[in-house]
Structure formats: C-alpha cells, structure tokens
Amino acid sequence: MSEAGFELHPQLAADCLVIGDWPLCRLLRMNDSTYPWLILVPRVPGMRDMIDLSDSEQQRLMSEIGQASKVLRLVTRPDKLNVAALGNAVPQLHVHVIARFTKDAAWPKPIWGVVAPAAFSAEEAAAELAKWRAALKPDQ
C-alpha cells in the first residue's frame, strides 16, 4: 500500500471527523448525530472502485470493513448494519458502515436525503472522536 500522494477528498474532509488510520484505511465518523456512521477510505491515491485496489489491498479492505462493522455493532447494538461503496457524489473510493435501527427516520429505506445532517457541537464531536478512537484503536 502506498500512501504517498493520498489526499482525502474535500467533500469527505468537510463532512467528517477524522478518527485515525488503520493499515489501509483512514477512519472517519460522519459529522451527523442522526446515525452512527463510519467511513473507511483506503489511503491509496486515485482509487475509485474496489477493483482498482491490488488483490492484497482488496483483502485488507474487506478485513477492515469487517472490523469496523463488528465494533459498530458492539458499540451501538443496531437492528441492521448497512455497508455501501457508492461513490456517485464523491469519486474517491470510500465505504460507508452505518448502524441502522427500525425506529430511525429513514427505516427501512436508505438514509441519504431523508433527514438533513445534524452536525455535532464541538463538545459532542470531541466526545464522539474519543469514543470511536477507544473502540477502533487506530494508529496502533
């Protein structure tokens, strides 16, 4: 994996809180208190689709998606986990891992466009980052 030249897409940088890095991915928390929502971004420049990664990077990505999903399930106890790599609005390869609940505003539909994002306050963002850094253990 080569991180040289990697830059987080400006839209992801604007919309997310940076939790830290795993071996392949930058870990993000969507700055939206409506849903427990993690985003994994492989730190490999120029990637748009999973098949653009090498075979070993694809395997690492799937492992990190699984790891994030397990932690999200443990921390939030959702009714369902949604995992998606769309990339229509943001072309940089990134994977959404979202905890869903039968009582959330969008259930059972996809979350996009149902409720306007509710950004965390500075204090809430700091607490969210501390919680997810403790749970996901990035940069170790």
Side-chain angles (χ1 to χ4, degrees):
M1 199 246 355
S2 171
E3 188 175 346
F6 169 79
E7 289 185 32
L8 192 60
H9 188 279
Q11 191 65 56
L12 291 172
D15 292 347
C16 299
L17 308 171
V18 177
I19 297 168
D21 292 332
W22 274 347
L24 178 65
C25 292
R26 172 124 330 134
L27 299 165
L28 307 174
R29 169 59 165 105
M30 187 68 167
N31 189 6
D32 182 358
S33 64
T34 309
Y35 306 99
W37 183 349
L38 303 175
I39 299 176
L40 286 73
V41 185
R43 294 185 327 276
V44 181
M47 298 295 105
R48 294 180 63 93
D49 296 297
M50 287 187 200
I51 59 172
D52 296 334
L53 297 168
S54 70
D55 288 347
S56 63
E57 289 166 340
Q58 289 177 41
Q59 291 170 5
R60 171 52 79 176
L61 177 58
M62 292 308 295
S63 176
E64 291 184 6
I65 291 168
Q67 189 176 354
S69 297
K70 288 174 186 173
V71 170
L72 192 59
R73 176 183 281 165
L74 179 69
V75 171
T76 66
R77 302 285 185 210
D79 296 306
K80 179 74 175 95
L81 289 172
N82 289 178
V83 177
L86 304 172
N88 298 338
V90 175
Q92 183 175 42
L93 175 59
H94 61 287
V95 179
H96 302 267
V97 183
I98 308 163
R100 297 295 308 276
F101 301 89
T102 57
K103 296 182 192 249
D104 74 41
W107 186 267
K109 298 177 180 165
I111 62 170
W112 288 276
V114 175
V115 177
F120 294 107
S121 69
E123 297 80 22
E124 291 168 333
E128 276 295 299
L129 286 173
K131 174 175 76 176
W132 291 111
R133 285 175 178 151
L136 294 164
K137 299 177 179 29
D139 306 314
Q140 290 185 3

